Amino acid sequence: MNVLLLGSGGREHAISLKLSQSPLLEKLYIAPGNAGTTATGINVPIQVTDFPAIREFVLRNQIGMIVVGPEDPLVKGIHDYFLRDPDLAMIPVIGPVKAGAMLEGSKEFAKNFMQRHGIPTASCKIFSKENLEEGDMFFRKGHPPFVLKADGLAAGKGVVICPTVEDAIRELKEMITDEKFGTASKHVVVEDFLKGIELSVFILTDGDSYKIFPEAKDYKKIGEGDTGPNTGGMGSVSPVPFMNHTLKDKIEKRIIRPTILGLKSENIDYKGFIYFGLMNVDDEPFVIEYNCRLGDPETEAVLPRLCNDLLELFIAVGNKTLDKCTITTDPRHTVTVMLVSGGYPGVYKKGFEITGEKGVSESLVFHAGTVTDQNGVVRTSGGRVMAITSFGNTFGEALERSYENAEKIHFENKYFRKDIGFDVK
Ligand code: AMP
Ligand code: GLY
């Protein structure tokens, strides 16, 4: 089967590596891909939301499956676009229809969905222009800190935690009146602050049954000790040491199953990944967000631990036979360390030559923001540049290997966090 994978990050490099190992694969194309994905397939210069160009490419190259990495095309309805077109309708798309992608595309939708289906989450109130003046009183009566979330997609920046009532009042006005996040913050979800430890749980579903993938924990802050601004993610670990049978059971019974049943009862035929961003509060799991895709850099730690043929699982999603599959997981630990451009997530320079990858041993190198220039030189092209993943029989062993190899890769202004996994060691 020929497969087209959409995306260009470390997540997509990790997915492409796994797909390229499948005996069921003929050709793998990645649109647009990065310098790393040229080793696992063929890069195609098409943007992930250019649906007509994707359509033409799919038809011209006998593509038998589309795998969607990022959320943008899903929220914009790529799956629906395929279903509506008689020439494309039979080609499975791994990634939900727009109605399902709304779990990520609209925090208001996600909150209401969780309330309808009794899924544990922080209690919340929704604000818009219409009830903005109620905000002051709401905050004065409540207890800080407050969590303010822009309803729509805001490139991972739409969540603001306000330590005081005054901050919350000002922030709510900036989001709604000043459209701080554009139309994404016309509606704002204000929710209670949950104090606990975060983890990411991933499932793959065909709409009827689901399979739980290895869980992970990511490190979102730029600075050591989880300080400074949020990034796309600076590293990840899998498994998560505090995940035990009891917690897993609670997550499955209270969160995963009601989500799948809820989608079904609302006639949303969800095919693809669901990423549960969870807060573990004294051993009670709460959903802090849903995503309609795999996480990045969690994927770089999770997929190497998956022993299954990923393409076989995707085919089962398309055929609705996922219940026949069994997931097997490598028991070893993985640690992923992200190498980023100095200055990220603020202003940074790109275009620096990257050297040293060939010297890396016993680790996987997943490219994220990289390109190959016309002379074949690999250069930085984004904030997050490369993810280094290592296995270890212990967490410490994996960590040490990733750090050893992180030192072997060079580009100007390289930065990485030296304390990935500090809170779960
Ligand atoms: P989100 O984009 O929803 O994942 O939010 C970004 C980050 O904000 C999360 O990874 C959490 O660290 C934090 N966060 C979101 N919601 C809450 C909450 N209700 N309580 C505490 N922290 C939260
Ligand atoms: N690692 C967080 C995300 O992918 O959204």
Side-chain angles (χ1 to χ4, degrees):
M1 173 188 282
N2 295 336
V3 176
L4 174 63
L5 168 65
L6 301 181
S8 61
R11 168 183 49 213
E12 286 74 24
H13 190 184
I15 296 173
S16 73
L17 177 66
K18 203 71 193 144
L19 289 176
S20 71
Q21 293 162 349
S22 170
L24 303 168
L25 182 79
E26 283 172 53
K27 277 191 181 148
L28 175 63
Y29 298 95
I30 307 102
N34 58 39
T37 57
T38 54
T40 52
I42 303 161
N43 284 356
V44 186
I46 296 177
Q47 292 311 308
V48 296
T49 50
D50 187 350
F51 298 171
I54 292 169
R55 175 185 194 276
E56 206 184 306
F57 183 85
V58 164
L59 293 175
R60 201 159 347 110
N61 293 279
Q62 288 88 46
I63 299 296
M65 175 184 290
I66 316 288
V67 179
V68 188
E71 63 278 14
D72 223 28
L74 295 166
V75 173
K76 293 202 166 98
I78 189 163
H79 197 148
D80 311 68
Y81 179 90
F82 268 63
L83 287 176
R84 272 198 307 270
D85 188 321
D87 294 331
L88 303 175
M90 295 306 288
I91 302 171
V93 177
I94 306 304
V97 289
K98 186 172 180 163
M102 279 302 125
L103 284 180
E104 174 165 4
S106 166
K107 299 215 186 252
E108 184 174 353
F109 172 82
K111 277 297 202 188
N112 290 332
F113 177 88
M114 286 186 266
Q115 275 162 9
R116 281 197 293 280
H117 301 289
I119 295 163
T121 185
S123 57
C124 78
K125 185 170 166 75
I126 308 217
F127 287 95
S128 64
K129 207 164 72 228
E130 280 69 42
N131 65 347
L132 179 60
E133 68 284 0
E134 290 169 31
D136 289 22
M137 192 52 83
F138 175 83
F139 291 125
R140 285 189 208 290
K141 279 191 181 157
H143 303 281
F146 299 100
V147 183
L148 275 62
K149 300 184 170 185
D151 170 52
L153 292 184
K157 298 192 177 73
V159 175
V160 182
I161 297 177
C162 298
T164 67
V165 170
E166 287 67 35
D167 284 331
I169 292 174
R170 183 172 2 94
E171 186 65 40
L172 188 67
K173 290 201 175 99
E174 279 177 22
M175 281 190 172
I176 293 173
T177 315
D178 308 340
E179 297 187 6
K180 181 174 177 183
F181 300 106
T183 54
S185 63
K186 272 181 142 170
H187 287 216
V188 174
V189 173
V190 177
E191 67 179 30
D192 288 349
F193 182 84
L194 296 173
K195 199 166 164 34
I197 184 155
E198 283 180 61
L199 76 155
S200 309
V201 170
F202 305 96
I203 64 157
L204 178 66
T205 178
D206 61 9
D208 290 326
S209 63
Y210 61 85
K211 296 290 159 187
I212 304 176
F213 276 42
E215 79 284 353
K217 185 173 191 315
D218 79 333
Y219 293 83
K220 288 199 177 78
K221 303 276 187 197
I222 188 74
E224 280 152 25
D226 279 345
T227 52
N230 262 337
T231 68
M234 295 297 293
S236 56
V237 302
S238 179
V240 174
F242 59 80
M243 179 72 126
N244 53 37
H245 270 301
T246 320
L247 180 60
K248 204 168 179 175
D249 213 47
K250 286 180 188 170
I251 293 171
E252 187 164 10
K253 281 208 186 96
R254 298 179 192 169
I255 294 170
I256 298 177
R257 240 179 264 158
T259 299
I260 296 295
L261 291 174
L263 288 164
K264 255 181 101 67
S265 74
E266 298 189 17
N267 292 318
I268 299 171
D269 190 21
Y270 197 113
K271 289 183 173 165
F273 289 102
I274 304 179
Y275 162 152
F276 300 86
L278 305 179
M279 189 71 88
N280 185 30
V281 184
D282 302 326
D283 292 325
E284 303 301 330
F286 289 81
V287 177
I288 53 174
E289 65 166 340
Y290 282 116
N291 290 310
C292 59
R293 50 164 175 95
L294 285 174
D296 194 349
E298 290 98 323
T299 306
E300 292 94 304
V302 164
L303 285 190
R305 294 190 58 226
L306 181 78
C307 302
N308 297 68
D309 177 336
L310 187 61
L311 184 51
E312 194 178 301
L313 292 176
F314 286 166
I315 291 170
V317 168
N319 296 337
K320 276 197 186 279
T321 54
L322 197 58
D323 59 322
K324 307 273 187 310
C325 302
T326 308
I327 296 284
T328 37
T329 305
D330 190 319
R332 290 177 297 168
H333 295 250
T334 48
V335 172
T336 301
V337 175
M338 191 60 88
L339 310 182
V340 306
S341 301
Y344 171 79
V347 186
Y348 58 86
K349 284 194 185 143
K350 13 188 203 189
F352 295 123
E353 181 174 354
I354 305 169
T355 57
E357 190 181 341
K358 285 206 174 71
V360 170
S361 58
E362 295 188 277
S363 289
L364 296 161
V365 177
F366 296 116
H367 288 225
T370 69
V371 283
T372 314
D373 71 11
Q374 62 271 40
N375 302 316
V377 175
V378 177
R379 294 186 181 276
T380 65
S381 69
R384 293 194 293 172
V385 175
M386 277 178 171
I388 316 287
T389 297
S390 313
F391 278 102
N393 289 319
T394 62
F395 172 71
E397 207 177 283
L399 192 68
E400 200 173 311
R401 237 169 235 158
S402 281
Y403 280 128
E404 225 173 83
N405 283 310
E407 297 288 359
K408 292 183 188 163
I409 290 180
H410 304 285
F411 56 88
E412 224 173 294
N413 295 339
K414 177 183 78 173
Y415 168 78
F416 58 94
R417 263 179 71 166
K418 313 272 187 315
D419 69 339
I420 296 306
F422 76 99
D423 54 345
V424 293
K425 265 196 242 180

